[in-house]
C-alpha cells in the first residue's frame, strides 16, 4: 500500500532535515503515512568538479551522506521499510540536533568526514534499535546501484534542477516537488496550516514552482542557530551551494 507521501532524503542535508521535522510535526496531528526514500547528493553531483564548483568541505559531506545511505539501504533490505523511520530520525538528531562537540574534529571538513565513519554511525544504529553490524555497509559499494535508482526516481518526478528534500505527494499519481525548503520550524498550529497550503498546491495539476534562492541558515543546534535566533541569510544559487552555474 502506498504511503501518503514519499520523502526522498539525504541524511547530511540540513534543509532536508528541517523539512522532515516539519513533516513529523504534521504526522503527530494528522493520519499521515510517510515512506522515507533515498536521494544522494553525491550521486546527483557525480559529474561535478567539486574543487571548482563547491565550497571545500562539500565533497567530504556529500560522500559521508552516500556512506550513510548505504547503511540505510542495508537496514531496509534486512529489517524492512519500517526501519527507515527510526533510522532517519536518529541520523538527523545526531547530525543536526546535537550541539558541536568542543573536543571534536577541528575543521568543518573533518567534521563532515567523521559522519561517514563507523565511530559515528554505530551509536546512531543503537539509538534506532538496529544491529551495529549494519555499519559494515559504509564501505560496501554494492548498495550504490539501489541508491542511484531511487535518486533517479526522485529526479524523474521533479526534473534535475533541484536539491533535497523531494516530496512526492499522494503517490503514485500525485505531484512531486523540491521542498518546501524551510529554515525555521513552525508552531504546531502553523505546521498543519503550512501542510494544507503545500498539499493544496500539489493537488493543482498545473502548478510547477514557487521559488526564491535567499535562505536563512536553519535553526539547528549543530549550526549554532537556536530557535530564538534568525540565521544569516545566504543566496543558494538556484537551490545549491555550487559556486558556478
Amino acid at each position: 500500500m502506498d504511503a501518503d507521501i514519499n520523502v526522498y532524503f539525504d541524511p547530511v542535508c540540513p534543509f532536508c532535515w528541517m523539512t522532515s521535522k516539519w513533516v513529523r510535526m504534521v504526522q503527530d496531528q494528522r493520519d499521515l503515512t510517510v515512506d522515507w526514500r533515498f536521494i544522494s547528493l553525491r550521486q546527483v553531483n557525480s559529474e561535478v568538479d567539486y574543487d571548482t564548483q563547491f565550497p571545500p568541505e562539500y565533497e567530504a559531506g556529500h560522500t559521508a551522506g552516500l556512506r550513510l545511505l548505504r547503511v540505510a539501504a542495508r537496514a531496509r533490505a534486512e529489517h524492512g521499510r519500517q526501519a527507515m523511520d527510526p533510522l532517519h530520525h536518529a541520523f538527523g538528531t545526531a547530525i543536526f540536533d546535537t550541539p558541536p562537540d568542543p573536543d571534536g574534529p577541528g575543521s568543518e571538513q573533518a567534521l563532515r568526514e567523521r559522519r561517514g565513519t563507523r565511530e559515528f554511525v554505530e551509536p546512531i544504529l543503537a539509538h534506532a534499535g538496529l544491529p551495529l553490524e549494519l555499519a559494515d555497509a559504509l564501505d560496501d559499494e554494492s548498495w550504490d546501484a539501489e541508491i542511484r535508482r531511487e535518486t533517479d526516481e526522485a529526479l524523474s518526478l521533479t526534473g534535475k534542477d533541484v536539491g533535497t528534500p523531494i516530496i512526492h505527494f499522494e503517490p503514485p499519481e500525485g505531484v512531486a516537488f523540491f521542498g518546501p525548503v524551510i529554515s525555521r520550524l513552525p508552531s504546531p498550529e502553523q505546521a498543519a496550516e503550512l501542510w494544507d497550503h503545500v498539499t493544496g498546491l500539489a493537488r493543482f495539476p498545473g502548478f510547477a514552482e514557487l521559488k526564491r534562492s535567499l535562505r536563512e541558515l536553519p535553526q539547528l543546534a549543530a549550526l549554532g542557530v537556536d530557535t530564538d535566533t534568525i540565521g544569516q541569510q545566504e543566496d543558494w544559487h538556484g537551490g545549491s551551494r555550487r559556486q558556478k552555474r
Side-chain angles (χ1 to χ4, degrees), residues 15-178:
F15 289 102
C16 186
W17 177 238
M18 285 295 292
T19 299
S20 299
K21 292 175 74 171
W22 163 65
V23 167
R24 289 178 178 276
M25 292 177 71
V26 178
Q27 278 188 288
D28 289 339
Q29 301 178 54
R30 305 284 178 87
D31 185 18
L32 179 70
T33 57
V34 179
D35 188 9
W36 302 100
R37 300 192 178 195
F38 310 142
I39 180 170
S40 166
L41 290 169
R42 188 64 184 86
Q43 291 182 344
V44 168
N45 295 290
S46 59
E47 304 302 320
V48 172
D49 181 354
Y50 272 83
D51 288 340
T52 60
Q53 296 287 321
F54 281 107
E57 67 275 8
Y58 265 55
E59 184 170 16
H62 289 178
T63 300
L66 176 58
R67 291 167 65 80
L68 294 176
L69 286 175
R70 291 170 183 165
V71 174
R74 179 175 168 183
R76 187 173 67 184
E78 296 183 5
H79 300 275
R81 305 192 85 86
Q82 64 272 18
M84 289 301 93
D85 184 84
L87 183 56
H88 169 269
H89 187 268
F91 278 149
T93 300
I95 295 171
F96 295 116
D97 287 348
T98 303
D101 181 358
D103 299 321
S107 69
E108 182 65 24
Q109 180 164 330
L111 173 66
R112 297 188 184 206
E113 287 175 347
R114 182 179 178 274
R115 293 172 181 165
T117 65
R118 179 179 289 272
E119 176 189 20
F120 184 77
V121 80
E122 283 188 346
I124 292 173
L125 291 168
H127 185 74
L130 293 166
L132 300 189
E133 60 263 25
L134 292 175
D136 293 343
L138 285 166
D139 298 307
D140 188 350
E141 296 181 3
S142 68
W143 297 105
D144 291 6
E146 179 177 350
I147 298 166
R148 169 62 73 178
R149 281 193 297 272
E150 290 202 358
T151 297
D152 290 345
E153 176 183 283
L155 297 180
S156 74
L157 294 166
T158 59
K160 295 183 178 180
D161 186 23
V162 296
T164 56
I166 289 174
I167 300 181
H168 189 184
F169 297 88
E170 300 176 353
E173 290 84 9
V175 176
F177 293 113
F178 163 44

